[in-house]
Structures are given as structure tokens and as C-alpha cells.
Amino acid sequence: MLNELGMSRRSLWILPTIHDACLNTTLMAIRDIDDFLTPRMGGSRKDDLKASDLGFREGLGFLGKTERERINKLIMHSTKVAAYGNQESSWDIGELTSKCVSQSLYFLRWVQANCKSAKHQKAWAAAVFYTTQTEAILEYAKKVKASNIGSSKP
């Protein structure tokens, strides 16, 4: 059965489901990277992987307390807030991903400069690869944005 827009009932829930899955996955990854970039503290689990394990001493955690709490309550943990709260929470994904990418690139460049020994060979190679990939994606995004600025599309 089709609605007035020509969409089936199945189509009406597919896109919101995909949107929610992408949003949740993105927020979980952002929080995971924030955890990694936060130095090891007394409350850190022994098996947590931290940037400080490679000798990086700066704290590059980028999530604010409120952002972290929202991700924890709505995405990472089973809570009454997530189950019964307002499901129409807006997220500034552009802001969150910008902070995440900026801090991640800073760390990756540090790895390239400071982890050249055989002991950290895999970390160094991964840093070179992911820095190159991320910078290429950012350059492509700049070109797309610049080409859309002059167009009449919203």
C-alpha cells in the first residue's frame, strides 16, 4: 500500500532506521576516540588502550561534560532517559566530528614524529596511513563545499 507521496509503509521506517543507526554508530565512535585521547587515570581499566600508553602526555579529550553525559545516557547505556525521554534529541554532528578529527590528527602527527622505533612500527605506519586518508577526505570535502557555494541548490 502506498501513501500520498508514493512511499510504502516499509519505506517510511527504513530511512529513519538507517539515520538512527548511523547517528548512534558515529556518537559511539566519537566517545571511544575521546576516551582514547584522554590520559590514563586512576579510574582507567588496565585493558583500556590510551594514547598515553605510547608516551603521549597531552590530554586531547574533546567532549564536554554535557556532551559525554548525553552520549552515555542516550546511546551507550540502557537508561530510563533513553527509554522514556524525548527521542528527538538533536546533535551537532558537524561540531562533534570537527573536534574529533582535529584532535585525532594532532595525535596522529605526534605519532609520526615520535614513534619511529621498531617497537612502535605498526603504530607509526597506521598513523601515516590514517593521516593521509583523513587529509584526503578533508580536501575532498572542501572542494565539494566550494563547488556548492556557487550553486543555486540549498
Side-chain angles (χ1 to χ4, degrees), residues 73-74 79-89:
K73 294 244 180 241
L74 296 173
T79 64
K80 291 178 183 177
V81 171
Y84 306 117
N86 178 4
Q87 296 302 309
E88 292 298 319
S89 291

Side-chain angles (χ1 to χ4, degrees), residues 88-151:
E88 292 298 319
S89 291
S90 64
W91 297 91
D92 190 348
I93 291 298
E95 172 71 18
L96 292 172
T97 54
S98 292
K99 292 191 298 186
C100 182
V101 168
S102 174
Q103 299 299 75
S104 297
L105 281 173
Y106 184 89
F107 170 72
L108 291 170
R109 290 178 183 126
W110 179 89
V111 170
Q112 289 178 60
N114 294 283
C115 296
K116 294 180 181 180
S117 69
K119 177 182 175 184
H120 297 300
Q121 182 178 3
K122 288 182 181 180
W124 182 86
V128 170
F129 175 80
Y130 287 112
T131 300
T132 303
Q133 291 294 104
T134 303
E135 288 172 342
I137 291 167
L138 291 173
E139 190 59 37
Y140 176 76
K142 282 181 193 174
K143 288 178 184 176
V144 169
K145 184 177 181 179
S147 70
N148 288 335
I149 289 173
S151 74

Side-chain angles (χ1 to χ4, degrees):
M1 172 176 250
L2 299 178
N3 68 9
E4 63 274 359
L5 298 175
M7 297 176 70
S8 69
R9 279 188 246 159
R10 183 173 181 257
S11 299
L12 293 173
W13 63 264
I14 289 175
L15 290 178
T17 301
I18 292 169
H19 170 272
D20 290 350
C22 291
L23 177 64
N24 288 357
T25 302
T26 300
L27 291 169
M28 286 189 291
I30 286 171
R31 199 200 81 166
D32 193 35
I33 293 169
D34 184 71
D35 286 346
F36 173 76
L37 294 173
T38 302
R40 185 172 296 285
M41 307 280 239
S44 299
R45 293 185 180 112
K46 290 180 183 179
D47 63 345
D48 286 349
L49 179 61
K50 298 283 196 172
S52 57
D53 296 343
L54 291 172
F56 188 77
R57 297 293 170 229
E58 295 180 54
L60 292 180
F62 52 88
L63 288 177
K65 184 178 178 183
T66 303
E67 293 167 331
R68 176 172 278 283
E69 286 176 2
R70 283 186 68 211
I71 293 171
N72 287 345
K73 294 244 180 241
L74 296 173
I75 309 295
M76 301 300 290
H77 304 289
S78 298
T79 64
K80 291 178 183 177
V81 171
Y84 306 117
N86 178 4
Q87 296 302 309
E88 292 298 319
S89 291
S90 64
W91 297 91
D92 190 348
I93 291 298
E95 172 71 18
L96 292 172
T97 54
S98 292
K99 292 191 298 186
C100 182
V101 168
S102 174
Q103 299 299 75
S104 297
L105 281 173
Y106 184 89
F107 170 72
L108 291 170
R109 290 178 183 126
W110 179 89
V111 170
Q112 289 178 60
N114 294 283
C115 296
K116 294 180 181 180
S117 69
K119 177 182 175 184
H120 297 300
Q121 182 178 3
K122 288 182 181 180
W124 182 86
V128 170
F129 175 80
Y130 287 112
T131 300
T132 303
Q133 291 294 104
T134 303
E135 288 172 342
I137 291 167
L138 291 173
E139 190 59 37
Y140 176 76
K142 282 181 193 174
K143 288 178 184 176
V144 169
K145 184 177 181 179
S147 70
N148 288 335
I149 289 173
S151 74
S152 59
K153 296 178 185 176

